[in-house]
Amino acid sequence: MNFKGERQSVTIPRAAKTLRRTRIQEEKEEQILEAALDVFSASGFRGSTIDQIAEVAGMSKPNLLYYFRTKEAMHRALIDRVLYTWLEPLRAFDADGNPEEEIRSYIRRKLEMARDFPRESRLFANEVLQGAPHIEDELKGPLKELVDEKAEVIRAWAKSGKIVKCDPYHLIFSIWSTTQHYADFDVQVRAVLGQDHAGEGRFEDAARFLEQLFIGGLRPDPSES
């Protein structure tokens, strides 16, 4: 699934358009994108500047602009990556699988992403909070198509009696919100849990609770069979 569409050319670094890209060019591009991810995830697109990104990257502004001509190009490259990575667990949702196992796997993969990619989660959240000006087409197009497809999977499970009847969209939204909370509000989570419970184990604790919440709530009552 391609989330880049007609904008793909905007995201290609200037250095990438040369006939042969060197290892150093590739490393510089990654260095810039790492710095841009730090800045964008903390300040959002509007609150970030090329000067800030260059400073974090440890590069001069002219050197940075050799690789990415605009702030928009850096942001777009990151957003394309995030959209693909963030939706991969939902793509793996298997209609032929056991519903409990599929939902359990989805919850755990989303929590793993919250743990391993917190900056990417905050980058996406900042974009949406600002009205999604750079990804509106993707949200209304490929993302919606994928969610519609998986909503039909959930409806089929419910129709066959494998899970209780539910609104599939709100189920997906609920899993998104509860799992991504651990990335977007990490400071709050750790502050409330306190030093004794705010370590890496908080993600396993969250997984067990969310499994109980969602899977327990979706499991059919045998007495009603």
Side-chain angles (χ1 to χ4, degrees):
M1 186 174 295
N2 180 16
F3 284 92
K4 298 179 181 180
E6 295 178 354
R7 302 183 191 177
Q8 187 172 9
S9 61
V10 177
T11 70
I12 299 175
R14 184 184 300 184
K17 296 181 181 180
T18 59
L19 293 178
R20 295 181 62 185
R21 295 173 66 217
T22 67
R23 177 180 57 82
I24 292 176
Q25 285 176 327
E26 292 176 350
E27 290 175 352
K28 289 291 185 183
E29 289 164 14
E30 287 304 313
Q31 180 181 340
I32 292 167
L33 289 177
E34 275 291 306
L37 182 56
D38 277 343
V39 175
F40 287 136
S41 65
S43 303
F45 178 79
R46 294 175 186 168
S48 303
T49 67
I50 291 177
D51 289 314
Q52 288 172 324
I53 296 169
E55 181 178 358
V56 173
M59 300 171 63
S60 68
K61 185 175 178 179
N63 193 13
L64 181 149
L65 292 174
Y66 170 77
Y67 292 93
F68 292 91
R69 296 180 181 180
T70 64
K71 182 174 76 168
E72 287 81 1
M74 289 179 277
H75 188 263
R76 186 72 217 181
L78 289 169
I79 284 290
D80 284 340
R81 287 186 181 186
V82 169
L83 281 170
Y84 185 85
T85 303
W86 224 239
L87 292 173
E88 188 58 29
L90 188 58
R91 292 189 194 95
F93 220 65
D94 186 0
D96 296 325
N98 177 280
E100 288 194 13
E101 291 305 315
E102 292 300 315
I103 293 167
R104 178 179 288 108
S105 175
Y106 186 50
I107 290 169
R108 286 188 170 268
R109 290 189 69 185
K110 290 293 289 179
L111 279 171
E112 287 170 2
M113 296 186 74
R115 180 194 65 200
D116 298 338
F117 304 106
R119 294 177 302 165
E120 287 83 350
S121 182
R122 289 191 285 271
L123 172 76
F124 184 78
N126 275 323
E127 171 68 12
V128 173
L129 286 171
Q130 291 177 7
H134 303 98
I135 59 170
E136 185 177 5
D137 291 344
E138 285 82 354
L139 297 184
K140 292 180 178 179
L143 184 147
K144 176 171 169 49
E145 292 168 7
L146 178 62
V147 174
D148 286 346
E149 175 189 331
K150 300 308 178 180
E152 287 303 313
V153 171
I154 295 169
R155 285 197 184 98
W157 286 341
K159 187 175 181 180
S160 64
K162 296 178 180 178
I163 61 173
V164 299
K165 290 183 179 179
C166 66
D167 185 308
Y169 293 98
H170 290 291
L171 173 60
I172 293 171
F173 294 158
S174 296
I175 294 175
W176 286 353
S177 61
T178 51
T179 54
Q180 288 171 216
H181 179 87
Y182 290 90
D184 300 341
F185 292 88
D186 179 61
V187 173
Q188 175 180 273
V189 169
R190 288 186 287 109
V192 171
L193 289 177
Q195 186 174 355
D196 293 340
H197 302 285
E200 287 300 302
R202 69 187 183 278
F203 291 99
E204 179 60 31
D205 293 340
R208 286 196 295 267
F209 173 77
L210 293 177
E211 287 172 8
Q212 179 184 11
L213 177 68
F214 287 110
I215 296 173
L218 291 169
R219 186 175 291 139
D221 185 344
S223 66
E224 296 179 2
S225 300

